[in-house]
Structures are given as structure tokens and as C-alpha cells.
Amino acid sequence: MKSSYFEDMLDRISNKLESRVNAYALLLTLIDETMIKYANSQPSVTQSWSMYELGLYLIKDKKAFVAGLRNPNEKDLDVFIENSLKKLEKIRETELLPEFPSTKTHDALPSLDKKVIDAQSNLGKLMELVSSRMRNETEIAGMISLGKREIMLRTSTGFTGKHANTFFNGYFRIFRGERSGQWAFSSTFYDEGLVEKTLDNAEFYASLKLPYLKPEEGEYTVILSPMVAGNLFSLLAYMSNAFAIQNGLSFLKPSDIEKEITTNELSLYDDPRNIELPFNTPFDAEGVSTYNKPIIEKGVLKNILHNTATARLFGARSTGNAGWIEPTPWNLEIKEGGASLEEMIKDTKKGVLLNNNWYTRFQNYTTGEFSTVARDAIILIENGEFKGLLRKARISSSYPQLLRNIRTIGKERYKIKWWEVENPFILPYVVIDNVRVTIPDFPS
Amino acid sequence: MFLGNEDILDILYSAEEKALSLGASYAEARFHLLERQGVIARNDAIIGTTLASSRGIAIRVVFKGALGFSSTYSLSKKDVLKAVERAVSQAREASVHMKNQIIFSNEKLGRAKVSVIEKKKIDDLSTEEMINLLMDSWDKIKSADIHSKIPVYMQNLSWSKEYKVIVNSDGGFVESYVPRVFYFFNLVEYNDGNSINKWYVFAASGGSELAEEFVAKGRQYEDVYVLDKILRKAKPSPKGRMDVVLGDEIVGLLAHESSGYPSEADRILGREAAQAGKSFIKPTSIGTRIGSEIVSVVDDPTIPGSNGFFLYDDEAVPARKKYLYKNGVINEYLHNRYTGYLFGKGSNGSARAMDAFSEPIIRMSNTYIEPRDHSLDELIEDIDYGIYMKSYMEWNINDERWGNRYVGLEAYLIENGEIKDLVKNPVLEATTGEIYSSIDAVGKDLVFHAGICRKGEPSQGVPVWFGGPPIRIRKVRIL
């Protein structure tokens, strides 16, 4: 269906709500996506989705109601809206009351690539590219996802917003015997070079001809690849949102603003205006204009992420990160440092380089104590050189401890998004000292 | 309620016919509707009241040995047939790159309607009642006679209704309706500069009667006292090799993480290698000893009232109880029709899809260590020096499901067969083989816990239970 169909739908709902509530927002998201999933060096499934989601945010007498519908037809929609309005009458006042801005329009953020849309109906070229990398001695698994996302927002204060962007994301894990490597990419634009580079990086880590060693567990300097740093720092970005802080899901406190929480090497940004990455948007879910902002700048916590409702509660201003109820980061960025990967390795006396990780879990969200499991290449470094591989290892630490010990930020950056890095993230390798690494007793 | 809706059936059968006419050797069409209503509260404040509905039609085809999936929001026949064309066209493009063709096992498929009958209709649980339950719960929590402060008591209560109609070209036809209640709390306590938190999930299939059971009678009213004691009284945990009793909460997680996941046949074959990973279990591992003779692990979707309940899977294969590990030996994998064909065993009904936008993949349902004969006292009385880990917060496992880590939250020192002081955050790190081989006694009281299990790309979260009785493990490593 065409955009005009949905715009008419939003007009009709707006008219219906106008006299029934004090304020409202309507957010429509249209997604058309195609995905090729690989396993055992062949496509395991091709998938495609055509879907839309309608969100209703209804406010009356300090009461707020959020409703979401995926794929309703018109008849369902009318029943759903009436049902939502009835429920709104009966609920209690909320602590998180939004205040939609008075701006009516927004600037454009061009981020559509026709090549992505064309490639959706001609997957053969991408499949050829991946197939050309198949080797007898390697096993390739992974996925490539591409498509278009379009959002339309209306608010009772007269805001009308529309934004569309394409996305081209993927990752590959390559196995060579018991060794493996993994890498990922994310972009707004079609770029076969990203697929090639991702396969190259995964293959590099899968192909290291180093012996397996089992060093003592203890404190090490760790070099986090952008895959690992992407996971740990996207969790940090999540924990910088006001909802997480308010609900015991973060070690950060409102009073940490303007305090030094890490070394001055680290600058972590929320970048909704970076059109290179696919979580770009000129406006948030409440119609507030977005802007790029530091979460941490040179070690100092500069921003807690807010929507208008959490901002009201904290006595702050919205940072353009709505999310209804819960603020959300958009694209993420770690500013580049000065070191090459070679220099980072050379400067490490006793360390491990982690290619990838998963399963980060918290013992205590309010203290930030956690552990995470390394996977794929885990490289032991001694006196500036690769010495061997570890079969298994974990990082066991806390966020305050990690942040205090960031030593070096790399200069070359990568655009990452995958299972464990949900927000598109441009970032380099990161070096952290004094990280507790546990190493299991038993080989598999 | 759509059950019996002729229009939907007509569209599903038309989709199936269309796929076959385009050359597909297999076609499947699924109408999938999920409705959910919930309330989120923090202390005495309501922070979210939500209603969500998701529906669509999912198409899956096999074309010349390649698998294609397509999903559409539209219920118009024209758009659904377009989705069929898309699935076939993409599978056709993939088919030239297939080294090993996808073939499904022959199965006697279900032709059935399954409906969970609620004691009290799920719709009867109004938003007002949900809010009242949550507010009463906060009143009870905040009036607990403890020394610590409670800065945060976050609650999320919701109910859901899941309707499905599945038809496929091999004759399968299954309609199902499963209502569920879900409740989550996150409790934070603070004392003298230290803080602690515990979250927990309650969920089951059934009617609105479950809400009261979870919110008004749940474990949070004990946890509020336990956390206070841990904050004030827990001593540093001993380290080294020692005997450990794991409580049912950790045993359930253990069954899920290191028995259920590695027994998924698609994982064993590498289909999830780039996401959830592979498995320490290999295609030839059936019959291999993994643990002591007293350990059996079951996956059973047919348990009435369970969170992972179904009687037919999403390929219309009848579901049944499976012994993943039987008397310490690897016994059976979880199969769908694809892996069932490859292993020559047939499917055991383990294919599930989260919603209309998800392909059916092999999933756990309700996974548990089978109970035996020991009371908790009997498990403990035989230990000279060790730890009783009753609950946890942090855990993880490597992607082959071999290297486990469980960090105790409520945990006690055991000395001379008696439970002594609380100890702080004991860390158990051990391999799956080491843990299962070191179990020398299994408790008799089976308790289930609820969770959402994640797998697939795009990631699918499906409702499950995991459980077990307390168990005793000899001489494992505490960090």
C-alpha cells in the first residue's frame, strides 16, 4: 500500500481522537525487509517481511495509555481505538506524563538508497558474492539484511513528521576447524565492500595459526574488538537512559552528570543525525527534533537520555530520545583515538584480545557488576606479541571498574550491528587495563 | 475470536495452492495473532499502561531444496499471494547455491483444534484490577519490616492471547488458542552505601486467576526480607573446590542452558552457528554419557498450564515428552521436520514460531531435571563444608553450552550438614560435563520457573518453563 493510504489513516484517527483526549501521538512504522541467512556455507533460509505498526499514545487528565498494533485492518483499528479510549478512562494518573512540543515540522535527513531497494528483488548478486568466498576448509554462517523503514508521526500539538531510510546490515562467522572468527557491518547504504571486509575480518580471526594455551586467570589488559566494545558500550548507552536509572536498571545516578566517570580517553555519542548508520531520524517518537550529543565526553557524563516525560520527572530537558515511556539511544559512536591496532598490541605486556562476546549478564544492575563470555578468537598477548589462543574465557568485572581503566582508543573505526549490538555503532578497538579474566579449568 | 473463520482458512489454502503451482515442493501458511495488555508500575506510580496486538500471515516454502519465508501484514488474498510469490522467488534464487537440499521428514500430521480453557477468562482481568493488584503489592512490599530502603520496586503485569491457524501441503491443519499471564518484578534494596537487586519472572498458560497468584502470593514477599539480610549479614564466600547444593531456581536454569539448548538438532548441525552458536553435542553423540546415572532431563510441551504449552508444533507435528538426557546419557535431540529427516528419526514436534513474522525453528518448551528422592535437608546433611546456592542473578554460558557460570544471590555456607551464614555472591564456574557428572543426589520436589527463550534471526523470544528439584554436586569450583 502507498504512503498516502497510511497518511489518510492517520488523518482519520487524528480526527477521531481530537475531541476525546487532551493529547495524543500517532506513530506509524512501515518496514519492508529481506534477509539471507547462511549456515553450513549455504543459504539456510531467505526471509522477507512486509509489515506496519501503529502506535497510539493517548493522554487525558494526567493519565497516559500506550497501545501498539501490528498490521490491523480498518475494522480492527476502529474497535482497537475505541477499546483504548475506554481503557484510558479507567486507569490511574501516571508518573510519566509526556509533553509534546509545539513545533509543527522537521528538517529532512535524506537517507534512502535506491540500490538497497533494488537489491531486495535481486538477491542473486549478493549470494554470488558470498558463494565466491566459500572454501573447502572453511564453514561460513551469518546473514545479510536489507530493506526500507518509513516512519510517520502525528501529535495533537500539530506536529507532522515523515522520515524514511534504508538499511544494509549483516554479519559472518567463519569456522576453520575448531577456530572461528566473527565480524559485522551496518550501513544505511548498499555497499558490497562491507560484505567483503566483514568476511575478511571474520576470516582473519578464524585463520590465526597460534597454539592453544591456558594461562593463569587473573587481571589482564584486554583489547576489545569493536564487536565486544559495541556490546559493552551499547549497554552503557542503555543504562544512561532516565527510565533505566529510575527503575534500578543502571549503575548511573542523576547526580553523576558532569562528573568524571571514566578516563578522558572515552567519548561516547548518541548520533541520530548520522545518516551513515540506519537508526537515523530527524525527530523522536514525541516529535522532538533529534541532535547528536555526547553521553560521555572525555570521560565526563554529559547527558542522561530523556523523553519529555522522564525529563519532566528529572527536572531536565528532553534530549530527543523518545521512546514512549522509555527513552532510547539511536545510532551510537565512540570517537576515534590515536592508536593503530598494531600499536595497541605492541603496548600490551600481558593481555588478551577479544574478537567477540555474548551473554553479558548482571549480578547487580545498580552496582554494574557483570560478566560476559568471550567467543571466537581469544588471543593471548605477551610483551607486545600474539602468543597463543585461549579456548574459553570470561570477563568478570563491573562498569565503574572498566570505565576507570580505559587506556587507549583506536583510530580505525568500524560500523557494527548484530545480535549483541542492537544499535548501529561506529567505533574502534578499545584497550582496558586491569580486567579480571576467568578461564575455565576444562577444555571442551 | 477468529476460530472457525472461513475467510482466513480460504486465504491460507489459496496461499498453499499458489506456492505449489509456482513449483514449491512444500508450502505452509500460518495465521498468527497475538494480543497483549499490560501495566508497568514503579513503587506507587503507574509508568505505563499498554495494549498491543500483532497479526499477519506467514508463508514458508521449499523450492528445489531451498527454504523461503515471507510474512505480510495484509489479510487480502491478493497481498498474501504476493507474499507467496516473494517467498518462492527468493527460494528460487537461493536454490542455485544449495549444496545440500532441504527435505522434510514424512510425518503423520495433526488435524486438530486445541484451546486452553481458562478458569477465569483472561479478558476479565481489567486494567483497573491489574493496577489494584500492583498497588496492593507495593503496599505490602513497602511495609515489610526491614532495615534496608527500597528505592525501586518495578512491576510489569500483562496477559496475552495467542491464536494460530496452520495449514501445510502435507495435510497438516492446526488451530490453537493459548492465553497466558506474565508478571515481572525488579526489587532494589539499599543499605549503608550498598545495594542489591533481584528480578524474577512468573508466567504460565491459563486464565486471569494466575495474576493474583503471581502478584499477591509470589516469592517477592520473601525476597524482600532475604535481600535485606544479604545486604546486612552476608559474609564473603569461601573459594575453592567444595560441595554445592543448587536450589530449584538454578537447577531449572541449568536444565535450560546446558541440556535444552545443546540438544537442539539445528544448533548441533550448525544452523544457528553465527547467532546462538553451535553445541558441544555432535550428531553422533546419542548414547554418550554426560552425567551421573541419577540425572535425567526432560523437555515436555504437553504439561497443562505450562508457559511452553502446545500439543502440536508449528509444523503441525504432534508434541510429546522427550528425554534429552536419560540416566546420565544423551538420549534424544529436539527435532523439526528438517533435522528429523537428516537424522532419520523424524520430528518430535519441536518447531515453534514467535509470531506472524517468524519462521518456525527448533525450540524448547518446558525443560526440567526429573525429580528423584531427596529432601532438601537430606541433600544438605551429607555435606561437611560447602555452599547452598538458592537463587541467582548473573549467569552465562559459552555458545557451545559447555562453560557454565552461575552466581548465587541467596546463598548459604553449609557446615557439618547444617545451613549456616549467608554468603555473598559465590561464583560457580564449571563445564556442563563436570556439573552433570558430579551430581550425586537429586531432590524430590519439582518446581518450575518461567522465562522467555531467545534464538533465531531475527531473534525470536518464546515462552518457556524450566525447572527441577534441588540437586547436590560434589567438589566443584567456587571462585
Side-chain angles (χ1 to χ4, degrees):
Chain A
M1 275 176 251
K2 290 180 183 169
S3 289
S4 58
Y5 168 85
F6 292 105
E7 283 175 24
D8 290 347
M9 179 197 283
L10 292 179
D11 285 342
R12 200 168 55 79
I13 301 170
S14 295
N15 290 336
K16 188 180 282 233
L17 293 176
E18 208 65 58
S19 60
R20 308 273 300 270
V21 294
N22 302 134
Y24 65 84
L26 303 173
L27 179 66
L28 195 118
T29 309
L30 286 153
I31 292 174
D32 193 278
E33 181 178 0
T34 306
M35 182 187 288
I36 317 162
K37 189 178 167 191
Y38 283 92
N40 302 118
S41 302
Q42 66 176 19
S44 56
V45 65
T46 50
Q47 302 183 83
S48 59
W49 298 269
S50 172
M51 58 180 152
Y52 82 94
E53 190 164 337
L54 176 68
L56 299 136
Y57 202 1
L58 309 177
I59 290 93
K60 190 175 182 184
D61 303 332
K62 295 188 176 174
K63 296 184 287 190
F65 188 78
V66 172
L69 267 168
R70 263 192 174 182
N71 305 344
N73 62 21
E74 301 223 358
K75 192 176 142 206
D76 288 345
L77 194 58
D78 287 341
V79 173
F80 189 81
I81 290 169
E82 284 306 318
N83 197 5
S84 299
L85 287 166
K86 273 186 208 155
K87 287 185 189 301
L88 177 65
E89 295 295 333
K90 293 178 181 172
I91 62 178
R92 290 193 191 181
E93 291 182 2
T94 181
E95 186 182 50
L96 285 176
L97 199 62
E99 191 173 3
F100 302 126
S102 54
T103 44
K104 309 288 184 211
T105 57
H106 62 88
D107 55 339
L109 204 58
S111 47
L112 270 180
D113 182 4
K114 190 168 173 299
K115 283 185 197 159
V116 171
I117 295 162
D118 290 344
Q120 281 189 272
S121 49
N122 179 16
L123 298 174
K125 205 171 166 202
L126 284 170
M127 289 183 184
E128 286 297 338
L129 196 162
V130 179
S131 287
S132 74
R133 299 290 296 259
M134 303 294 179
R135 308 273 183 275
N136 283 339
E137 69 276 16
T138 58
E139 176 190 333
I140 297 181
M143 74 90 173
I144 300 172
S145 149
L146 59 166
K148 178 185 168 190
R149 183 187 72 118
E150 191 169 1
I151 54 170
M152 299 176 198
L153 179 72
R154 302 283 171 90
T155 70
S156 50
T157 48
F159 180 85
T160 300
K162 190 172 172 181
H163 174 67
N165 68 276
T166 44
F167 52 90
F168 184 60
N169 302 319
Y171 53 83
F172 288 101
R173 191 177 193 195
I174 292 185
F175 295 86
R176 278 178 171 246
E178 63 177 321
R179 285 146 208 233
S180 63
Q182 185 151 356
W183 208 261
F185 68 91
S186 177
S187 177
T188 304
F189 307 112
Y190 187 80
D191 181 356
E192 289 171 13
L194 284 174
V195 179
E196 302 235 35
K197 200 170 174 188
T198 298
L199 285 160
D200 288 344
N201 286 342
E203 191 152 9
F204 167 77
Y205 281 112
S207 307
L208 291 168
K209 291 187 172 60
L210 293 166
Y212 277 108
L213 301 173
K214 188 185 175 301
E216 290 296 307
E217 59 187 28
E219 291 197 347
Y220 285 81
T221 294
V222 293
I223 302 178
L224 307 179
S225 89
M227 299 283 286
V228 184
N231 172 253
L232 296 181
F233 289 99
S234 59
L235 284 167
L236 175 60
Y238 169 77
M239 288 189 285
S240 75
N241 99 59
F243 183 92
I245 291 170
Q246 187 76 353
N247 288 288
L249 298 169
S250 175
F251 68 96
L252 294 169
K253 301 182 288 297
S255 59
D256 289 334
I257 286 275
E258 295 299 339
K259 285 189 183 156
E260 198 172 278
I261 62 165
T262 176
T263 65
N264 66 5
E265 303 298 319
L266 183 75
S267 293
L268 171 67
Y269 270 65
D270 173 58
D271 279 355
R273 295 273 166 169
N274 179 359
I275 61 165
E276 296 282 322
L277 294 173
F279 280 14
N280 61 70
T281 181
F283 54 89
D284 72 4
E286 293 173 337
V288 174
S289 286
T290 59
Y291 58 99
N292 295 345
K293 70 198 74 70
I295 296 170
I296 295 167
E297 185 150 48
K298 293 188 175 169
V300 175
L301 182 69
K302 300 300 283 188
N303 277 292
I304 287 171
L305 304 182
H306 282 293
N307 54 30
T308 60
T310 61
R312 184 201 292 257
L313 204 63
F314 279 58
R317 286 167 62 92
S318 169
T319 54
N321 287 88
W324 297 340
I325 301 177
E326 184 167 19
T328 177
W330 305 111
N331 297 315
L332 293 169
E333 175 186 16
I334 288 180
K335 297 288 183 190
E336 64 269 34
S340 68
L341 178 58
E342 292 70 27
E343 287 165 340
M344 292 173 171
I345 295 164
K346 208 175 150 194
D347 288 345
T348 300
K349 279 191 179 145
K350 177 196 166 195
V352 285
L353 189 159
L354 305 180
N355 166 208
N356 196 14
N357 72 312
W358 86 322
Y359 237 121
T360 305
R361 291 290 184 276
F362 286 82
Q363 175 66 11
N364 187 336
Y365 287 95
T366 56
T367 59
E369 293 164 274
F370 75 98
S371 68
T372 190
V373 184
R375 67 188 241 183
D376 301 298
I378 309 166
I379 307 164
L380 181 69
I381 300 168
E382 280 177 9
N383 300 318
E385 288 181 359
F386 285 180
K387 282 291 174 194
L389 295 172
L390 279 68
R391 281 199 166 82
K392 310 255 185 293
R394 268 186 185 78
I395 287 179
S396 172
S397 187
S398 74
Y399 269 83
Q401 163 84 6
L402 277 189
L403 292 173
R404 274 197 302 273
N405 284 283
I406 293 175
R407 172 155 54 98
T408 311
I409 306 287
K411 62 183 173 191
E412 188 179 356
R413 300 195 297 173
Y414 302 82
K415 295 184 281 187
I416 299 288
K417 181 180 186 301
W418 86 287
W419 245 47
E420 299 288 336
V421 185
E422 293 181 6
N423 293 63
F425 206 149
I426 179 165
L427 77 167
Y429 282 82
V430 174
V431 185
I432 308 180
D433 287 326
N434 307 319
V435 178
R436 180 162 175 75
V437 177
T438 67
I439 300 160
D441 268 350
F442 285 72
S444 61
Chain B
M1 194 179 289
F2 77 90
L3 290 173
N5 184 321
E6 291 301 322
D7 293 342
I8 297 284
L9 280 179
D10 177 50
I11 289 170
L12 296 179
Y13 281 121
S14 300
E16 181 192 305
E17 275 171 33
K18 175 78 175 177
L20 297 177
S21 75
L22 290 171
S25 57
Y26 171 82
E28 169 190 291
R30 169 169 39 96
F31 173 78
H32 205 142
L33 171 65
L34 267 169
E35 290 180 303
R36 179 171 284 114
Q37 184 176 320
V39 178
I40 310 167
R42 185 183 63 81
N43 301 354
D44 63 347
I46 298 300
I47 54 178
T49 311
T50 61
L51 182 65
S53 171
S54 132
R55 66 159 204 195
I57 288 182
I59 308 292
R60 203 166 61 135
V61 301
V62 176
F63 182 93
K64 289 192 176 168
L67 191 62
F69 173 89
S70 179
S71 167
T72 177
Y73 60 78
S74 174
L75 296 189
S76 89
K77 194 185 279 190
K78 192 176 143 204
D79 291 334
V80 173
L81 297 184
K82 252 193 224 167
V84 172
E85 285 172 9
R86 200 172 179 186
V88 172
S89 152
Q90 289 173 357
R92 181 184 286 119
E93 285 191 290
S95 65
V96 298
H97 299 276
M98 299 298 290
K99 295 167 191 164
N100 300 299
Q101 301 218 323
I102 287 168
I103 300 170
F104 286 177
S105 58
N106 287 319
E107 302 291 343
K108 196 171 170 57
L109 299 179
R111 295 190 62 79
K113 295 187 182 189
V114 178
S115 192
V116 168
I117 311 293
E118 302 117 297
K119 273 188 206 159
K120 281 166 73 178
K121 281 278 174 203
I122 206 108
D123 297 295
D124 291 347
L125 185 61
S126 66
T127 311
E128 305 95 287
E129 277 179 90
M130 290 164 98
I131 291 170
N132 288 338
L133 277 169
L134 298 185
M135 292 301 107
D136 289 348
S137 179
W138 165 243
D139 287 343
K140 210 163 149 184
I141 288 286
K142 77 175 181 199
S143 58
D145 184 16
I146 57 172
H147 296 79
S148 305
K149 286 183 180 159
I150 304 173
V152 175
Y153 179 52
M154 182 192 178
Q155 303 177 81
N156 183 349
L157 174 64
S158 66
W159 58 252
S160 67
K161 296 193 281 191
E162 183 176 25
Y163 307 99
K164 283 184 277 191
V165 186
I166 301 157
V167 303
N168 67 40
S169 55
D170 292 336
F173 169 83
V174 176
E175 279 192 13
S176 65
Y177 166 65
V178 181
R180 294 186 185 88
V181 174
F182 170 95
Y183 173 63
F184 163 93
F185 73 80
N186 182 31
L187 179 59
V188 181
E189 293 191 18
Y190 181 85
N191 192 301
D192 199 21
N194 295 310
S195 63
I196 190 167
N197 81 311
K198 171 70 184 167
W199 61 258
Y200 187 79
V201 169
F202 300 84
S205 58
S208 57
E209 68 279 357
L210 292 167
E212 191 173 353
E213 185 186 321
F214 297 161
V215 185
K217 300 171 189 166
R219 58 179 280 165
Q220 57 273 42
Y221 308 110
E222 289 171 25
D223 282 337
V224 70
Y225 288 94
V226 170
L227 296 189
D228 177 56
K229 276 189 201 153
I230 297 171
L231 267 179
R232 294 184 299 113
K233 296 185 174 172
K235 296 182 172 165
S237 170
K239 297 183 191 327
R241 287 202 171 266
M242 64 191 75
D243 297 342
V244 172
V245 171
L246 296 180
D248 53 69
E249 187 181 332
I250 302 176
V251 172
L253 189 65
L254 182 74
H256 181 83
E257 298 288 354
S258 56
S259 303
Y261 273 123
S263 298
E264 294 165 345
D266 54 352
R267 174 191 282 269
I268 292 167
L269 294 173
R271 192 183 192 263
E272 302 297 319
Q275 294 85 26
K278 291 187 172 181
S279 174
F280 71 86
I281 294 178
K282 305 302 171 202
T284 54
S285 295
I286 294 286
T288 306
R289 177 155 295 283
I290 182 73
S292 62
E293 282 189 358
I294 55 173
V295 186
S296 293
V297 184
V298 168
D299 183 84
D300 185 1
T302 68
I303 299 170
S306 60
N307 201 33
F309 175 80
F310 55 93
L311 295 183
Y312 295 88
D313 79 354
D314 289 343
E315 293 178 335
V317 175
R320 64 170 169 83
K321 179 177 178 179
K322 290 127 340 220
Y323 277 88
L324 307 180
Y325 302 162
K326 195 165 190 180
N327 301 326
V329 171
I330 295 173
N331 181 69
E332 183 173 7
Y333 306 147
L334 297 172
H335 285 297
N336 59 11
R337 293 185 64 193
Y338 167 53
T339 64
Y341 172 81
L342 288 175
F343 282 85
K345 299 277 183 189
S347 171
N348 49 26
S350 302
R352 300 176 73 183
M354 175 177 75
D355 56 21
F357 314 99
S358 306
E359 59 161 345
I361 53 175
I362 295 172
R363 307 307 300 265
M364 281 176 268
S365 56
N366 307 300
T367 313
Y368 60 94
I369 290 187
E370 212 170 42
R372 287 178 72 92
D373 44 14
H374 279 58
S375 67
L376 181 62
D377 288 344
E378 287 167 340
L379 291 172
I380 285 167
E381 71 189 10
D382 226 11
I383 293 177
D384 292 333
Y385 187 77
I387 283 179
Y388 171 39
M389 281 170 62
K390 190 177 177 192
S391 70
Y392 68 94
M393 270 291 284
E394 177 190 332
W395 85 100
N396 47 36
I397 188 164
N398 80 316
D399 61 304
E400 290 185 327
R401 303 282 160 183
W402 188 247
N404 301 260
R405 175 184 171 100
Y406 301 98
V407 185
L409 183 71
E410 182 181 0
Y412 301 87
L413 186 69
I414 302 171
E415 272 182 332
N416 303 320
E418 286 181 9
I419 290 179
K420 300 285 188 182
D421 296 331
L422 280 161
V423 292
K424 202 175 172 188
N425 299 346
V427 179
L428 167 63
E429 275 200 17
T431 65
T432 298
E434 186 188 6
I435 292 176
Y436 283 82
S437 300
S438 307
I439 297 173
D440 81 332
V442 176
K444 60 186 176 186
D445 299 318
L446 172 62
V447 179
F448 285 107
H449 303 269
I452 301 291
C453 173
R454 184 182 174 212
K455 185 180 174 186
E457 181 61 272
S459 182
Q460 300 186 41
V462 295
V464 295
W465 265 0
F466 35 82
I471 58 172
R472 186 171 61 213
I473 319 174
R474 296 293 190 184
K475 302 281 176 276
V476 282
R477 194 166 72 121
I478 297 293
L479 306 182

